[in-house]
Amino acid sequence: MAALSQPQKSTYDVIVIGAGIQGSFTAYHLAQRHKDTLLLEQFLLPHSRGSSHGQSRIIRSAYPQEYYSRMMPDCFRLWQQLEAETGTTLYRQTGLVLLGPPGEPELEACRRSLGVDEVLDAAALAQRFPGFRLPAGQVAVVDSTAGVLFADRALRAVQEVFRRHGGTLRDGEKVLSIEPGATVTVTTTAGVYKAPRLVITAGAWTGAFVEQLGLRLPLQPLRIDVCYWRLKQPGSAGLGSVSPCFLTLGLSQAPHGIYGLPSIEYPGLMKVCHHHGSPTDPEKRDQAPSSAPRPDIAVLSSFISSYLPGLETQPAVMETCLYTNTPDEDFILDRHPKFSNIVIGAGFSGHGFKLAPVVGKLLCELSLGEEPSYNMAHFAITRFPGVLGAA
């Protein structure tokens, strides 16, 4: 438990609520800017109740939206900086195969973002990556920069550097209330803290926090099945720990997309998941009955039969994770419309982990009243009508 090893005090330059990867990187940047920063986490660390746990996430340069692809060089640089600061390996380059119908707009946008001309047909893909079987009429694009981030290790690393720069991390403290004002007062189960600036990065709990601040944000927590599938022949060519990540775009049988990572977390098991889930209350996520129907498993089994014949068609291990989605699946990174010293980062919609170094930098800049490093139009709270007025 982090909190016991640090002296208790009540006044800070900035308070950050939520010590997932986004809040931790925000606190990291603030501490590097010599701001006395308090990072609060409601659960004892480490924990698996939110969206930042687990051993692996995909990192890629390819993005259909240019405003994300433009951030990725900065993200790669900052991840490498964190590796250097901690002497820890946080990234393994594996490449990424993007699969979809030819001419699919998002696939084409990804290809353009990479600046590559090569498009692989089924035969070319099978020759390059023998584990993949592409149905006739579909194509693939390769992002050679992509790979796997070691998520748990990354979260520990960024928190370590935050504390090394004088930051205070208090876990096991649930926030009970937030009182806005020129000085914001945050009351937790263990104390009362004050700061002229507050950043809220509370994941699936963000909606409840901002309601007490007069905002009703369209944030939908989703319970995601994280599935691991056994290799029929461990060590066979094309699959396993040396295979690339993959991502589908524009498949009619999986409109939300399917993604996969090589067998890094569990030897002999490949992580393949549907980028979708069922609405949930984050307080009750783990109470879902095991007998509840899981249509995503059927989607994944069908996909694996067609595209990854080297895998068994029923999952060997199933875990859960939380996504917090906005309607357009773009992030919310903005100041509160009424209280400009309160900044909100939310709605990372299952694709935010890789971008956390830049998200944290942007939330830091917003909190300090600076001009953000990137165009923030796509992340504004006001893009959603009717958000003000919740009591």
Side-chain angles (χ1 to χ4, degrees):
M1 179 175 176
L4 289 179
S5 64
Q6 295 172 330
Q8 176 109 17
K9 55 180 269 188
S10 61
T11 304
Y12 294 86
D13 294 333
V14 192
I15 298 171
V16 180
I17 298 175
I21 195 66
Q22 312 296 349
S24 294
F25 256 116
T26 303
Y28 162 98
H29 284 289
L30 287 163
Q32 290 200 323
R33 302 282 295 276
H34 308 292
K35 301 302 175 186
D36 187 10
T37 304
L38 171 64
L39 177 58
L40 291 170
E41 171 54 49
Q42 64 173 322
F43 301 117
L44 294 175
L45 294 169
H47 69 83
S48 59
R49 296 287 303 276
S51 302
S52 295
H53 65 282
Q55 294 180 51
S56 60
R57 297 290 190 280
I58 294 173
I59 183 169
R60 54 190 164 110
S61 296
Y63 249 106
Q65 301 91 345
E66 52 81 25
Y67 44 93
Y68 291 122
S69 62
R70 200 181 302 139
M71 294 176 180
M72 287 313 303
D74 205 6
C75 288
F76 275 100
R77 180 185 63 79
L78 287 166
W79 281 117
Q80 289 164 358
Q81 177 179 304
L82 182 62
E83 285 186 316
E85 286 173 318
T86 57
T88 306
T89 300
L90 302 176
Y91 162 70
R92 178 186 296 178
Q93 188 170 358
T94 64
L96 171 76
V97 178
L98 298 144
L99 309 168
E104 201 282 328
E106 288 199 332
L107 186 62
E108 280 297 296
C110 284
R111 186 183 61 77
R112 288 194 298 272
S113 77
L114 291 169
V116 301
D117 296 322
E118 185 180 29
V119 176
L120 305 179
D121 61 13
L125 181 66
Q127 184 173 13
R128 189 159 170 185
F129 301 114
F132 290 89
R133 184 171 66 195
L134 198 59
Q138 293 191 7
V139 297
V141 171
V142 177
D143 177 353
S144 60
T145 70
V148 175
L149 286 170
F150 302 125
D152 282 341
R153 198 185 299 176
L155 185 60
R156 288 194 302 271
V158 69
Q159 291 170 355
E160 175 191 325
V161 176
F162 164 65
R163 285 183 290 201
R164 198 188 296 167
H165 283 272
T168 302
L169 171 56
R170 299 189 62 83
D171 62 352
E173 287 198 33
K174 185 178 178 65
V175 172
L176 302 176
S177 68
I178 301 167
E179 296 174 36
T183 298
V184 182
T185 302
V186 177
T187 302
T188 76
T189 48
V192 178
Y193 307 100
K194 296 178 183 289
R197 305 173 186 89
L198 173 69
V199 182
I200 300 173
T201 50
W205 288 264
T206 299
F209 281 128
V210 299
E211 278 203 10
Q212 62 183 284
L213 298 171
L215 276 184
R216 194 178 298 277
L217 296 179
L219 296 171
Q220 178 60 68
L222 298 177
R223 182 182 187 273
I224 305 297
D225 289 324
V226 181
C227 302
Y228 300 83
W229 310 75
R230 194 176 307 281
L231 277 66
K232 292 177 180 176
Q233 296 179 311
S236 59
L239 289 176
S241 61
V242 296
S243 66
C245 303
F246 74 85
L247 180 67
T248 73
L249 295 166
L251 296 187
S252 58
Q253 67 268 42
H256 298 283
I258 292 171
Y259 65 92
L261 295 86
S263 57
I264 291 172
E265 297 187 42
Y266 299 108
L269 301 181
M270 190 170 178
K271 183 178 180 178
V272 182
C273 306
H274 194 200
H275 192 75
H276 190 56
S278 53
T280 191
D281 178 342
E283 296 288 353
K284 301 176 181 177
R285 181 193 84 189
D286 296 327
Q287 298 175 20
S290 58
S291 59
R294 288 179 158 172
D296 293 336
I297 305 303
V299 170
L300 291 169
S301 295
S302 174
F303 173 84
I304 285 169
S305 295
S306 299
Y307 290 79
L308 298 167
L311 298 181
E312 301 285 355
T313 57
Q314 290 300 313
V317 176
M318 287 180 55
E319 299 172 352
T320 61
C321 188
L322 283 176
Y323 286 2
T324 305
N325 279 32
T326 62
D328 57 14
E329 297 189 1
D330 282 330
F331 310 155
I332 291 171
L333 308 172
D334 204 354
R335 299 182 182 98
H336 189 293
K338 285 180 65 177
F339 310 113
S340 61
N341 60 340
I342 297 178
V343 171
I344 299 160
F348 295 102
S349 301
H351 68 104
F353 199 101
K354 70 185 80 61
L355 287 142
V358 167
V359 166
K361 182 168 79 167
L362 291 168
L363 292 173
C364 169
E365 291 166 344
L366 287 170
S367 177
L368 298 179
E370 299 173 355
E371 184 69 23
S373 299
Y374 295 87
N375 185 334
M376 303 296 282
H378 293 279
F379 312 121
I381 286 173
T382 52
R383 74 184 191 269
F384 301 115
V387 295
L388 275 172

